[in-house]
């Protein structure tokens, strides 16, 4: 169907007259996430020339299946015999005008099509940085049509949505060409002069004791996000579309420059990558067993601390000064500093919930100057993070 005609005939279940009186079982649709539609889907439809409309499953009310005429019926005498069996299932479906289409799968795409065509959101307000798109109005949308029966519609919706498996963070980072953070994470991973793809795990966000990898793709992305936002400001990066060429190159240059420096100057990083072949896997596993910096989350904390220290408004560190201080941090897992703060139990499990606090404590230990009020706030956070009976009276010592 043409997108504009499809949009005009489609109604959300929540817009149906009897929605308020339906039981939970009868409400076969989720609530609509309008923020996601405006932030992710609409910009893609409106601005990407290679946009693709996946098929949308709809249930049709006031629909008569008899209004279908096959190609075979129209040209039976002219149809060669080998084609007749299939031709009866190919043809034209005519709407009378009374049909009402209810999406069972794809309701967010339906709303995004409407928003992109009209340039208005669910409240009728203009969507920022976007104009109505007549091009989308004229495009075709693939529609899978089912005769509406409430129980059947509910069952189809449940099966389609319940068993749909979301892609992992790693898979998204591997395939997303619109996210500058993901693009640069892949570049750093693939660059054999930096890390090399064989040493970056993308399947999930953690490293096992016997993994020969250096880090994960998700960790590289988190680090790149920090490098870009801290060095260039401007708040959160828009990861739904690439920035312009000039800004992309600025980001790329800073990210590559930062990783080159860190991998050369952070001793445990350099040791882990001293042998990038399979023969170096044992060394990387040894580092992971004995030191925090063999794990992705502490690696991210170090990188965030580095970019923070080198971007302070006062007592700003040079890269060399920051690296020297960070190398002096006691990264050994047996260091009492980390017990209860960043490591838990005999297995030394990483407490990821404390990562932000750990980053701030690392910066303080490296010599970030804080006011008395800021020191007190950091100490309170530090004490709150530790278990009862292990509450320190003061922050860790600042490194000489």
């Amino acid at each position: 169907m043409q997108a504009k005609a499809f949009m005009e005939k489609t109604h959300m279940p929540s817009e149906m007259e009897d929605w308020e009186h339906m039981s939970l079982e009868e409400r076969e649709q989720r609530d609509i996430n309008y923020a996601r539609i405006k932030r992710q889907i609409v910009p893609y439809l409106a601005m990407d020339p290679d946009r693709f409309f996946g098929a949308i499953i709809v249930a049709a009310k006031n629909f008569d299946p008899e209004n279908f005429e096959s190609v075979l019926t129209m040209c039976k005498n002219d149809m060669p015999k080998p084609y007749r069996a299939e031709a009866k299932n190919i043809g034209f479906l005519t709407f009378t005008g009374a049909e009402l289409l209810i999406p069972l799968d794809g309701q967010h795409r339906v709303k995004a099509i409407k928003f992109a065509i009209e340039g208005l959101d669910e409240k009728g307000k203009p969507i920022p940085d976007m104009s109505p798109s007549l091009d989308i109005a004229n495009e075709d949308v693939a529609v899978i049509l089912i005769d509406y029966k409430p129980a059947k519609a509910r069952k189809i919706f449940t099966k389609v949505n319940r068993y749909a498996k979301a892609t992992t963070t790693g898979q998204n980072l591997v395939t997303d060409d619109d996210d500058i953070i993901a693009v640069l994470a892949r570049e750093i991973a693939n660059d054999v002069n930096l890390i090399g793809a064989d040493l970056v795990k993308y399947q999930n966000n953690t490293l096992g004791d016997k993994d020969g990898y250096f880090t994960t793709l998700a960790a590289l992305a988190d680090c790149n996000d920090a490098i870009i936002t801290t060095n260039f400001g401007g708040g959160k990066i828009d990861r739904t579309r690439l920035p312009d060429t000039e800004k992309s190159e600025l980001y790329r240059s800073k990210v590559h420059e930062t990783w080159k420096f860190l991998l050369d100057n952070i001793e445990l990083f350099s040791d882990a990558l001293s042998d990038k072949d399979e023969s170096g896997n044992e060394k990387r596993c040894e580092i992971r067993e004995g030191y925090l910096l063999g794990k992705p989350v502490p690696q991210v904390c170090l990188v965030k601390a580095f970019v923070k220290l080198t971007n302070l408004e006062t007592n700003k560190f040079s890269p060399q000064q920051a690296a020297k201080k960070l190398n002096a941090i006691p990264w050994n897992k047996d260091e009492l500093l980390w017990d209860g703060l960043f490591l838990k139990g005999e297995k030394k499990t990483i407490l990821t919930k404390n990562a932000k606090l750990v980053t701030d404590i690392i910066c303080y230990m490296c010599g970030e100057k804080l006011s008395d009020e800021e020191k007190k706030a950091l100490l309170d956070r530090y004490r709150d993070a530790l278990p009862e009976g292990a509450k320190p009276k003061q922050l860790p010592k600042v490194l000489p």
Side-chain angles (χ1 to χ4, degrees):
M1 295 181 66
Q2 193 178 52
K4 188 173 186 299
F6 175 68
M7 176 195 76
E8 291 170 348
K9 280 195 167 293
T10 305
H11 293 264
M12 300 297 112
S14 58
E15 297 169 348
M16 294 165 60
E17 290 182 5
D18 54 351
W19 172 258
E20 293 297 330
H21 304 292
M22 289 182 178
S23 67
L24 290 176
E25 290 81 5
E26 291 171 320
R27 296 188 182 192
E28 67 263 17
Q29 286 282 28
R30 302 170 294 174
D31 290 334
I32 296 176
N33 185 338
Y34 287 109
R36 173 175 165 248
I37 292 172
K38 289 182 281 191
R39 185 178 65 251
Q40 298 179 352
I41 309 176
V42 171
Y44 167 71
L45 294 181
M47 301 176 188
D48 194 327
D50 299 319
R51 58 181 172 262
F52 176 77
F53 295 84
I56 297 172
I57 303 173
V58 301
K61 297 186 76 171
N62 306 325
F63 162 67
D64 185 358
E66 296 299 320
N67 291 335
F68 171 77
E69 188 173 12
S70 74
V71 172
L72 183 61
T73 302
M74 291 183 284
C75 52
K76 184 175 182 179
N77 295 332
D78 299 324
M79 181 73 64
K81 278 189 177 182
Y83 302 148
R84 290 180 185 177
E86 297 301 328
K88 67 181 181 181
N89 296 319
I90 302 170
F92 297 89
L93 181 66
T94 304
F95 280 175
T96 64
E99 293 81 8
L100 182 68
L101 305 183
I102 305 164
L104 301 180
D105 178 56
Q107 64 171 351
H108 286 80
R109 278 173 285 155
V110 172
K111 279 294 183 185
I113 290 171
K114 176 179 173 64
F115 288 4
I117 291 174
E118 297 178 347
L120 304 174
D121 64 13
E122 75 280 6
K123 297 178 180 178
K125 296 181 178 180
I127 299 174
D129 303 321
M130 178 337 8
S131 301
S133 175
L134 296 179
D135 289 341
I136 293 176
N138 293 324
E139 290 195 23
D140 288 334
V141 178
V143 181
I144 299 174
L145 200 66
I146 297 164
D147 191 11
Y148 182 81
K149 292 180 176 60
K152 182 179 180 181
R154 184 169 64 248
K155 184 176 182 180
I156 291 172
F157 169 79
T158 300
K159 295 299 182 184
V160 167
N161 288 280
R162 180 178 179 182
Y163 298 111
K165 187 175 180 180
T167 52
T168 65
T169 299
Q171 289 170 330
N172 292 338
L173 292 171
V174 168
T175 58
D176 198 335
D177 292 328
D178 297 319
D179 176 4
I180 187 64
I181 303 298
V183 170
L184 294 177
R186 296 197 299 268
E187 287 185 12
I188 298 301
N190 290 327
D191 191 337
V192 293
N193 294 317
L194 294 174
I195 302 175
D198 290 342
L199 298 183
V200 178
K201 188 175 185 178
Y202 68 88
Q203 296 90 337
N204 54 54
N205 303 339
T206 60
L207 295 181
D209 294 339
K210 296 183 179 180
D211 279 338
Y213 301 102
F214 168 68
T215 191
T216 66
L217 193 62
L220 291 181
D222 285 347
C223 292
N224 289 350
D225 197 348
I227 292 168
I228 292 171
T229 54
T230 306
N231 280 282
F232 296 100
K236 193 173 182 180
I237 297 292
D238 183 357
R239 300 180 63 169
T240 63
R241 50 184 168 177
L242 290 174
D244 60 51
T245 302
E246 182 179 358
K247 187 172 286 187
S248 293
E249 287 307 311
L250 277 175
Y251 292 171
R252 177 172 286 107
S253 177
K254 177 53 72 173
V255 165
H256 279 260
E257 172 193 307
T258 303
W259 277 111
K260 178 70 170 66
F261 180 85
L262 289 170
L263 297 177
D264 286 344
N265 291 275
I266 299 300
E267 293 167 359
L268 286 170
F269 285 0
S270 183
D271 289 348
L273 295 172
S274 59
D275 180 0
K276 295 183 180 180
D277 294 330
E278 190 175 340
S279 54
N281 289 351
E282 185 176 348
K283 177 68 172 177
R284 284 181 281 278
C285 290
E286 287 177 1
I287 290 174
R288 188 172 309 115
E289 182 180 2
Y291 298 91
L292 284 173
L293 289 185
K295 288 282 192 176
V297 174
Q299 292 171 348
V300 174
C301 289
L302 179 142
V303 174
K304 287 184 175 181
F306 174 82
V307 295
K308 183 179 180 182
L309 290 169
T310 54
N311 281 276
L312 293 171
E313 292 185 7
T314 59
N315 74 305
K316 182 177 179 179
F317 288 60
S318 70
Q320 291 75 16
Q321 289 172 326
K324 183 178 179 180
K325 292 288 188 179
L326 290 168
N327 281 324
I329 294 288
W331 296 107
N332 193 302
K333 285 185 177 180
D334 293 332
E335 176 64 38
L336 291 177
L337 167 66
W338 309 120
D339 286 349
L341 172 65
F342 214 14
L343 295 175
K344 179 182 179 181
E346 294 182 2
K347 293 186 177 181
K348 305 288 185 181
T349 305
I350 299 287
L351 290 167
T352 56
K353 66 179 182 179
N354 291 340
K356 174 66 169 65
L357 171 60
V358 169
T359 299
D360 292 340
I361 287 178
I362 289 171
C363 289
Y364 172 77
M365 291 176 67
C366 286
E368 178 189 7
K369 292 181 180 178
L370 302 178
S371 66
D372 290 342
E373 186 177 335
E374 289 170 331
K375 288 180 186 177
K376 183 182 182 305
L378 183 58
L379 177 59
D380 289 342
R381 290 170 58 204
Y382 183 33
R383 288 173 56 84
D384 289 344
L386 293 175
E388 291 297 330
K391 304 291 187 183
K393 294 183 179 179
Q394 57 188 19
L395 289 167
K397 290 184 179 181
V398 176
L399 297 170

